[in-house]
């Protein structure tokens, strides 16, 4: 699923039709092992469940992290009648920053040079009728997922401090506030710097040599842009923007840097640095930066981790498994990070549901099957995203001239660019109906 971008998730029709348009939760006529979804009465908005000092509590399935991966996994499991608890270290959903306002379909793409000269433009349907692109705002996506869960499903202010395993295969999660949970299954969805992945033996993600400024320009009376992806390429520097709603436009600036540099959180300083990079570029980019609220502007180093076969740890250890960035952090050059997390959640939920309806002893096999199925997609995408980023960050003037005057105008074709987005998830409800 998804299409090439620089960070913002994009959804194609295959995925959104099967997992993002949530039907009402079905009623189940019989119990499903010891993971039966317990019926809850929920309100229309997500309430904040905060941890309270207590003895060790027991849970069947604990998901660590309430980002896109964690919430999508919880919702996918719920669609199959399986209850889970989600732990989130923050005090509320991390809705800040850029990137489901399913805006009208993004119709095309325009590529320009830094002086504003158009290098290439095309409409998606003219190039490949099978492609459909929809831009997604991160905040709306998270809130949409969270609102599909029971109000008490997400526990905020619940940061993970330590993981211990018992002889019977259960996992003790010790939280920073002193609480402890004993879980039969743990699903690590805790992002790039995942404590769960670190405990499982994964290395830290590697910095790839460039950073990105990101933001979300807000036009209260509506923005003036057409529904298309816009890219601007310079030397060792590139930028882009795309509408995500009638009033919001996502933008990014990616630049080479030998090191990540100091962490900066002051929005004024971030805007200043971003504008300095593109001071002579098309004015619409500078205007977008000025129109971005403080909470949407950020700077992040780009990192990834290559899951080499027979070298990297597997996606699971016993009844502990990883999903999304916690397992396979990748650079945003293909726009696949969040999209792959959504794919992971559907595949894992399906396999876990089948195992639960069989017998608990088969859960480890289900996790291994999940890793084996997802690795052939994740590993090539991670490498491809890295290589695409390296090529687009060229600094040599001769190479950049060849790129701008020959490669982009005459050689680039949409099919190969979009091929990686063609992932079709089987609807979860088909799995459910077979299991009833």
């Amino acid at each position: 699923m998804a299409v090439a971008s620089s960070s913002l998730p994009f959804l194609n029709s295959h995925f959104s039709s099967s997992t993002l348009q949530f039907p009402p939760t079905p009623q189940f006529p019989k119990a499903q092992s010891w993971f039966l979804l317990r019926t809850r009465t929920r309100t229309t908005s997500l309430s904040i469940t905060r941890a309270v000092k207590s003895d060790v509590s027991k849970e069947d399935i604990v998901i660590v992290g309430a980002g896109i991966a964690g919430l999508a996994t919880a919702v996918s499991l719920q669609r199959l009648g399986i209850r889970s608890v989600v732990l989130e270290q923050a005090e509320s959903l991390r809705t800040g920053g850029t990137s489901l306002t399913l805006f009208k379909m993004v119709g095309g793409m325009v590529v320009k040079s830094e002086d504003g000269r158009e290098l290439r433009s095309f409409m998606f349907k003219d190039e490949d009728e099978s492609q459909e692109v929809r831009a997604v705002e991160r905040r709306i996506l998270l809130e949409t997922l969270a609102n599909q869960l029971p109000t008490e499903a997400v526990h905020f202010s619940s940061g993970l401090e330590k993981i211990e395993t018992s002889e019977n295969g259960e996992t003790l999660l010790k939280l920073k506030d002193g609480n402890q949970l004993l879980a039969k299954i743990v699903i690590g969805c805790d992002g790039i710097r995942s404590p769960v992945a670190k405990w499982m033996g994964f290395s830290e993600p590697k910095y790839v040599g460039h950073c990105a400024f990101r933001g979300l320009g807000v036009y209260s009376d509506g923005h003036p842009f057409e529904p298309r992806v816009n890219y601007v390429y310079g030397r060792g520097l590139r930028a882009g923007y795309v509408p995500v709603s009638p009033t919001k436009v996502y933008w990014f600036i990616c630049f080479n840097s030998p090191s990540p540099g100091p962490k900066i959180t002051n929005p004024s300083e971030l805007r200043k640095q971003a504008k300095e990079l593109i001071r002579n570029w098309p004015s619409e980019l500078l205007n977008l930066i000025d129109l971005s609220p403080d909470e949407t502007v950020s700077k992040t180093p780009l990192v990834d981790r290559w899951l080499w076969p027979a070298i990297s740890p597997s996606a699971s250890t016993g009844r502990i498994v990883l999903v999304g960035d916690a397992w396979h952090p990748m650079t945003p050059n293909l726009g696949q990070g969040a999209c792959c997390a959504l794919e992971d959640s559907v595949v894992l939920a399906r396999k876990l549901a089948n195992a639960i309806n069989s017998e608990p002893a088969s859960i480890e096999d289900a996790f291994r099957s999940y890793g084996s199925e997802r690795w052939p997609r994740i590993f090539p995408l991670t490498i491809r995203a890295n290589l695409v980023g390296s090529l687009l960050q060229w600094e040599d003037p001769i190479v950049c001239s060849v790129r701008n005057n020959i490669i982009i105008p005459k050689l680039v074709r949409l099919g190969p660019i979009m091929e990686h987005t063609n992932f079709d998830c089987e609807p979860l409800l088909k799995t459910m109906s077979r299991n009833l």
Side-chain angles (χ1 to χ4, degrees):
M1 62 168 292
V3 68
S5 77
S6 188
S7 146
L8 185 72
F10 289 88
L11 307 182
N12 73 11
S13 58
H14 296 303
F15 197 92
S16 60
S17 66
S18 62
T19 57
L20 290 180
Q21 297 176 3
F22 299 107
T25 302
Q27 298 298 314
F28 294 88
K30 62 180 181 179
Q32 295 185 331
S33 186
W34 30 269
F35 293 86
L36 177 67
L37 175 68
R38 300 160 197 171
T39 304
R40 304 286 186 182
T41 302
R42 67 180 305 279
T43 60
T44 57
S45 61
L46 182 72
S47 65
I48 296 179
T49 302
R50 299 186 185 278
V52 179
K53 294 287 184 180
S54 64
D55 296 329
V56 177
S57 58
K58 295 184 178 181
E59 296 289 348
D60 291 333
I61 301 177
V62 175
I63 297 172
V64 182
I68 292 173
L71 294 177
T73 301
V75 171
S76 297
L77 290 171
Q78 181 180 259
R79 297 262 69 78
L80 297 174
I82 300 171
R83 176 184 176 274
S84 64
V85 169
V86 183
L87 303 181
E88 169 55 45
Q89 64 178 349
E91 295 182 354
S92 61
L93 288 178
R94 293 167 289 168
T95 56
T98 55
S99 113
L100 153 106
T101 301
L102 285 181
F103 186 46
K104 63 182 179 180
M105 188 173 67
V106 178
M109 181 183 297
V110 177
V111 181
K112 298 180 179 180
S113 61
E114 58 191 285
D115 59 6
R117 177 169 59 97
E118 185 175 297
L119 304 177
R120 179 78 183 275
S121 67
F122 49 79
M123 302 300 292
F124 292 132
K125 288 194 175 296
D126 291 340
E127 296 276 330
D128 186 344
E129 293 185 358
S130 68
Q131 294 297 340
E132 178 179 316
V133 181
R134 296 179 183 269
V136 191
E137 184 185 346
R138 175 184 170 87
R139 177 183 63 85
I140 305 300
L141 176 57
L142 286 175
E143 291 176 351
T144 300
L145 291 169
N147 284 332
Q148 303 302 312
L149 297 172
T151 56
E152 70 278 19
V154 183
H155 294 238
F156 294 99
S157 301
S158 299
L160 180 62
E161 185 171 77
K162 190 175 182 181
I163 303 174
E164 297 179 357
T165 57
S166 62
E167 293 182 357
N168 64 358
E170 295 184 341
T171 303
L172 180 64
L173 303 176
K174 296 185 177 181
L175 307 184
K176 293 179 179 179
D177 63 3
N179 279 297
Q180 301 183 62
L181 283 81
L182 190 63
K184 294 178 179 177
I185 289 176
V186 174
I187 304 176
C189 303
D190 43 346
I192 291 174
R193 308 294 179 185
S194 165
V196 179
K198 183 177 181 180
W199 179 84
M200 291 172 63
F202 283 88
S203 61
E204 285 292 319
K206 183 180 178 181
Y207 176 60
V208 299
H210 32 275
C211 299
F213 287 101
R214 299 183 178 98
L216 197 65
V218 177
Y219 294 77
S220 56
D221 297 325
H223 63 71
F225 303 108
E226 295 182 22
R228 62 186 185 183
V229 183
N230 299 270
Y231 290 121
V232 185
Y233 292 153
R235 292 171 51 189
L237 182 66
R238 58 191 159 110
Y241 59 93
V242 60
V244 297
S245 81
T247 59
K248 296 177 182 179
V249 180
Y250 163 76
W251 60 267
F252 74 90
I253 300 170
C254 192
F255 63 99
N256 291 349
S257 177
S259 67
K263 183 176 181 179
I264 301 174
T265 57
N266 184 311
S268 297
E269 181 61 25
L270 291 172
R271 285 194 190 88
K272 178 182 177 181
Q273 291 187 12
K275 292 173 69 175
E276 181 64 23
L277 286 169
I278 59 167
R279 60 185 180 277
N280 297 319
W281 285 31
S283 59
E284 59 262 30
L285 277 167
L286 296 169
N287 294 335
L288 279 169
I289 296 173
D290 288 332
L291 291 171
S292 299
D294 289 353
E295 65 273 14
T296 72
V297 182
S298 65
K299 173 191 172 186
T300 53
L302 303 187
V303 301
D304 64 13
R305 180 167 57 224
W306 294 17
L307 301 174
W308 293 106
I311 297 176
S312 300
S314 63
S316 63
T317 298
R319 293 185 180 179
I320 302 176
V321 67
L322 298 176
V323 170
D325 285 346
W327 180 27
H328 48 73
M330 65 180 70
T331 56
N333 300 298
L334 298 178
Q336 290 294 282
C339 298
C340 284
L342 292 170
E343 296 171 9
D344 286 351
S345 70
V346 174
V347 174
L348 177 64
R350 182 183 299 122
K351 291 183 179 296
L352 181 55
N354 288 336
I356 288 171
N357 288 328
S358 174
E359 57 177 273
S362 65
I363 290 171
E364 290 88 343
D365 291 336
F367 286 172
R368 284 190 287 269
S369 176
Y370 154 78
S372 298
E373 178 175 329
R374 293 298 295 157
W375 182 87
R377 175 161 172 79
I378 296 304
F379 184 54
L381 277 178
T382 303
I383 296 177
R384 182 176 175 180
N386 183 292
L387 295 178
V388 167
S390 298
L391 293 174
L392 294 178
Q393 294 298 130
W394 278 328
E395 295 183 354
D396 185 276
I398 296 177
V399 174
C400 289
S401 178
V402 172
R403 177 194 65 192
N404 291 354
N405 294 293
I406 298 177
I407 296 177
I408 293 177
K410 300 179 180 181
L411 300 180
V412 170
R413 294 293 179 266
L414 182 63
I417 293 177
M418 303 280 282
E419 181 273 335
H420 66 275
T421 71
N422 295 325
F423 184 87
D424 190 2
C425 288
E426 178 186 351
L428 282 169
L429 294 183
K430 285 186 179 180
T431 301
M432 181 193 70
S433 63
R434 289 198 301 265
N435 291 334
L436 291 180

